[in-house]
Amino acid sequence: MKEADDIKFMKRCLDLASKAEGFTYPNPMVGAVVVHDDKIIGEGFHLKPGGPHAEVIAINAVSDKAKLKSSTLYVSLEPCSHYGKTPPCADLIISNSIPRVVIGTVDTSDKVSGEGVSRLRNAGCEVILGVVEEECRRLNRRFFTFHEKNRPYITLKWAQSSDGYLDILRSDAHEIGPNWITGKPERVLVHKWRASEQAILVGAGTVRADDPKLNIREWKGTDPIKIVLSSSGSIGDKSVVSKANGTSFVFTHNMDASIANAVKVKLNDHEPSSLQIAEYLFNAGIQSLFIEGGASVLNHFISTGLWDEARIFTGDSYFKEGVKAPLIKREFLSRTNFSGSFLEIYINNAS
């Protein structure tokens, strides 16, 4: 029975933690609950960097602190053991004499990496590890990828026609703008996704054809950093990227290209562009990258194996010809149906 309760309360921690998705960078998302006699008497989640951690909020929410000495603290990620912008959560747990701590997954970053668990156990706490661990790790997949693989977590997204095309064939006279495959609910979902990522990347062809805004106008949150991959550096002076007032980056081989209001990053000829971009973003502290195309960019990241997740919408329309959508063969995760499309998500466990 205790194992079933541990799972139930850990899932509550995950529900709480997910409320802050997109707001905690560079910190992970964490939820915590305090349980006494099978009832939650305090709970909380980490909302933003510099703010109190989930354990602090949950413990402070308990009105009768005497109950802490016979309670269990559930937390989705190992409590910190170091001084940062806030004191160590492990010390707070110990000072309140909480006898049992259930942890979803260890924090593998260099600053924690098991030290929180060790401190709790050395103080006499019963520590249970690995409850709903897979879900806890997936929630913070960006954080873990950044610290374990020294690169951002990379998500690919595209929409394709039912016969496998990203776009129709376009002439020079074709009006600039997107050729919608999905409906309004799907587009709102994409904006919600954008709000969860630190950076968004497209190719120069997409900029020239669609002039995408690459923002979250259909959702609330912070716009991701805009990134364009363009070997020639030709993206046009009137694109939204050129109007972003220094918040955009263009990765290019041509440093002589005139690109207004964007930071140019030189690409070399010896390594794949995907690898150079990932390394640059890691060094800049960027934990996640959302790639929305076009076909050349998507295929490049796929061919180099440098992606973690693919989110693919398939619409009802038939194009018969056009720009072929990429092909991937990786582990299937989920499928969601919409009125005019369906969404499939795949995971690249080989990355």
Side-chain angles (χ1 to χ4, degrees):
M1 184 63 182
K2 181 172 283 189
E3 182 179 351
D5 288 340
D6 285 350
I7 292 172
K8 177 180 72 174
F9 291 124
M10 188 59 68
K11 288 192 172 183
R12 176 57 183 166
C13 292
L14 288 170
D15 289 341
L16 291 166
S18 64
K19 294 178 183 293
E21 187 170 36
F23 293 97
T24 65
Y25 291 116
N27 296 346
M29 293 172 277
V30 184
V33 299
V34 180
V35 176
H36 183 268
D37 288 343
D38 297 325
K39 293 182 180 179
I40 294 176
I41 60 173
E43 63 181 24
F45 61 94
H46 182 52
L47 179 58
K48 61 181 180 179
H53 289 188
E55 302 95 316
V56 176
I57 297 172
I59 291 170
N60 288 342
V62 176
S63 56
D64 184 357
K65 296 296 190 290
K67 291 183 177 180
L68 290 171
K69 295 182 179 181
S70 53
S71 296
T72 295
L73 172 70
Y74 292 84
V75 60
S76 57
L77 186 70
E78 178 184 4
C80 63
S81 55
H82 63 285
Y83 280 89
K85 293 182 179 179
T86 59
C89 291
D91 289 356
L92 178 67
I93 296 167
I94 294 167
S95 67
N96 280 280
S97 301
I98 298 174
R100 185 171 185 263
V101 181
V102 179
I103 298 170
T105 186
V106 295
D107 181 342
T108 56
S109 64
D110 291 340
K111 291 182 178 180
V112 183
S113 193
E115 289 299 321
V117 172
S118 295
R119 187 172 296 191
L120 291 171
R121 285 178 171 162
N122 290 338
C125 292
E126 177 190 3
V127 179
I128 309 298
L129 286 172
V131 176
V132 199
E133 184 170 20
E134 185 175 345
E135 292 179 44
C136 290
R137 279 189 60 87
R138 173 151 179 83
L139 177 72
N140 280 309
R141 57 197 181 275
R142 303 168 182 89
F143 177 81
F144 285 121
T145 298
F146 184 82
H147 288 284
E148 294 173 4
K149 297 183 179 180
N150 295 335
R151 64 167 177 81
Y153 186 89
I154 299 173
T155 301
L156 311 178
K157 169 264 168 182
W158 70 83
Q160 61 189 26
S161 64
S162 58
D163 53 348
Y165 292 97
L166 294 178
D167 198 1
I168 58 175
L169 291 176
R170 301 197 188 203
S171 66
D172 293 339
H174 195 282
E175 182 179 351
I176 294 176
N179 179 39
W180 293 115
I181 294 174
T182 57
K184 180 72 171 181
E186 297 95 311
R187 295 199 287 274
V188 171
L189 177 59
V190 170
H191 285 231
K192 179 178 183 293
W193 290 342
R194 290 176 180 176
S196 300
E197 311 299 344
Q198 282 189 285
I200 185 170
L201 183 147
V202 295
T206 297
V207 173
R208 291 190 293 266
D210 297 343
D211 191 20
K213 292 182 174 62
L214 304 177
N215 61 16
I216 57 166
R217 59 194 180 278
E218 302 286 355
W219 201 257
K220 292 183 179 180
T222 303
D223 287 340
I225 296 168
K226 299 174 179 64
I227 299 174
V228 177
L229 175 56
S230 173
S231 181
S232 68
S234 175
I235 62 173
D237 293 332
K238 296 182 179 180
S239 70
V240 69
V241 174
S242 298
K243 300 173 184 176
N245 297 322
T247 59
S248 297
F249 291 80
V250 177
F251 287 81
T252 181
H253 291 96
N254 181 17
M255 294 299 285
D256 293 328
S258 177
I259 306 171
N261 300 319
V263 176
K264 289 183 289 186
V265 180
K266 172 69 173 176
L267 292 172
N268 66 55
D269 297 322
H270 312 299
E271 298 175 297
S273 298
S274 58
L275 183 62
Q276 295 179 64
I277 292 170
E279 183 178 2
Y280 184 94
L281 295 182
F282 172 75
N283 290 330
I286 303 299
Q287 292 185 7
S288 66
L289 176 63
F290 194 58
I291 300 178
E292 292 202 39
S296 296
V297 170
L298 291 166
N299 281 315
H300 172 66
F301 277 82
I302 291 170
S303 68
T304 57
L306 204 54
W307 65 279
D308 298 285
E309 185 172 333
R311 303 174 184 176
I312 306 167
F313 290 102
T314 301
D316 292 340
S317 57
Y318 283 83
F319 289 175
K320 297 183 180 179
E321 60 180 357
V323 180
K324 287 293 289 184
L327 295 174
I328 57 170
K329 293 182 179 180
R330 286 294 182 263
E331 181 180 342
F332 174 79
L333 181 65
S334 65
R335 173 172 169 147
T336 304
N337 292 317
F338 294 86
S339 60
S341 73
F342 61 86
L343 166 66
E344 292 182 326
I345 299 179
Y346 295 86
I347 301 296
N348 183 12
N349 286 326
S351 65

